[in-house]
Amino acid sequence: MVDGKTSRGSKDRKQGKSPLHLVSSWACANRMVLGYEATTGKLNEITAIPKLLELLKLKGCIVTIDAMGCQTAIARQIIEQKGEYVLGPKENQPLLYEAVDDYFTIARNDGFKNIKYGYAEEIDKGHGRMEIRRHWICENLSTLPHPERWEGLRNIGMVEREWERPA
């Protein structure tokens, strides 16, 4: 997993220094940080992510990155390093985001008729709440704008999250 975080309490107002912002990579299952790259802020994650990925051996790994890292060049780099990726498009990739959102909205409203898809559901209880996550995945890329730009793209997916606090 690759993600950026700002360290709370690291801003030095007296010296006019911004807070420390790091892009980190870690192996979730092993609870291990694999590397990190300092940046000057959230927007610089796009330039820090490729530098961090260069330090890692990605062969056989699945790299997950949030919307900030959903870039065609980053996807290409992961594939060139023999890895695979899961990227989360949002408004930073408006055409892709809209196409995926429309696809799953129509598919769900139609009960996924004539669509091959995978589905999984997780239920977590902890921290005083119950969380349900539903995952759908499809191989149909025909409705995407320029899927060829996303090297190695094989599937699109959607995650729905629902949580409730017990009364």
Side-chain angles (χ1 to χ4, degrees):
M1 174 175 258
V2 176
D3 197 16
K5 296 288 180 218
T6 300
S7 298
R8 293 185 70 177
S10 63
K11 185 175 182 176
D12 187 343
R13 292 175 198 248
K14 289 181 182 176
Q15 294 190 13
K17 293 188 178 178
S18 298
L20 176 64
H21 191 81
L22 296 173
V23 175
S24 303
S25 174
W26 65 92
C28 297
N30 298 14
R31 296 180 170 189
M32 180 186 300
V33 174
L34 303 174
Y36 61 88
E37 183 75 28
T39 72
T40 56
K42 182 94 175 138
L43 292 176
N44 291 329
E45 283 184 27
I46 294 172
T47 57
I49 291 170
K51 291 177 187 176
L52 178 58
L53 292 175
E54 283 177 15
L55 302 174
L56 304 172
K57 291 187 178 186
L58 301 180
K59 185 176 182 178
C61 295
I62 299 172
V63 179
T64 61
I65 308 176
D66 65 9
M68 183 64 78
C70 186
Q71 307 290 326
T72 56
I74 290 172
R76 184 177 323 104
Q77 179 180 353
I78 293 168
I79 295 298
E80 287 171 357
Q81 288 182 236
K82 308 291 187 229
E84 297 183 44
Y85 59 83
V86 175
L87 304 177
K90 287 190 178 170
E91 287 78 14
N92 66 326
Q93 294 288 343
L95 297 177
L96 180 62
Y97 177 77
E98 185 178 330
V100 172
D101 186 54
D102 287 350
Y103 181 86
F104 282 102
T105 298
I106 292 167
R108 286 181 68 195
N109 289 342
D110 210 24
F112 283 90
K113 287 182 188 166
N114 303 317
I115 295 176
K116 282 180 59 175
Y117 70 97
Y119 175 80
E121 183 173 299
E122 299 176 285
I123 300 175
D124 288 330
K125 293 180 183 176
H127 305 289
R129 66 177 183 228
M130 182 175 73
E131 185 173 0
I132 302 168
R133 285 184 297 279
R134 297 175 189 92
H135 309 261
W136 290 268
I137 190 166
C138 297
E139 294 178 359
N140 184 355
L141 307 178
S142 66
T143 62
L144 299 182
H146 308 290
E148 71 281 357
R149 291 183 184 166
W150 298 91
E151 193 165 329
L153 180 63
R154 297 193 317 240
N155 302 295
I156 57 173
M158 179 182 79
V159 178
E160 176 183 79
R161 183 176 149 249
E162 177 184 329
W163 66 275
E164 31 181 88
R165 291 182 195 254

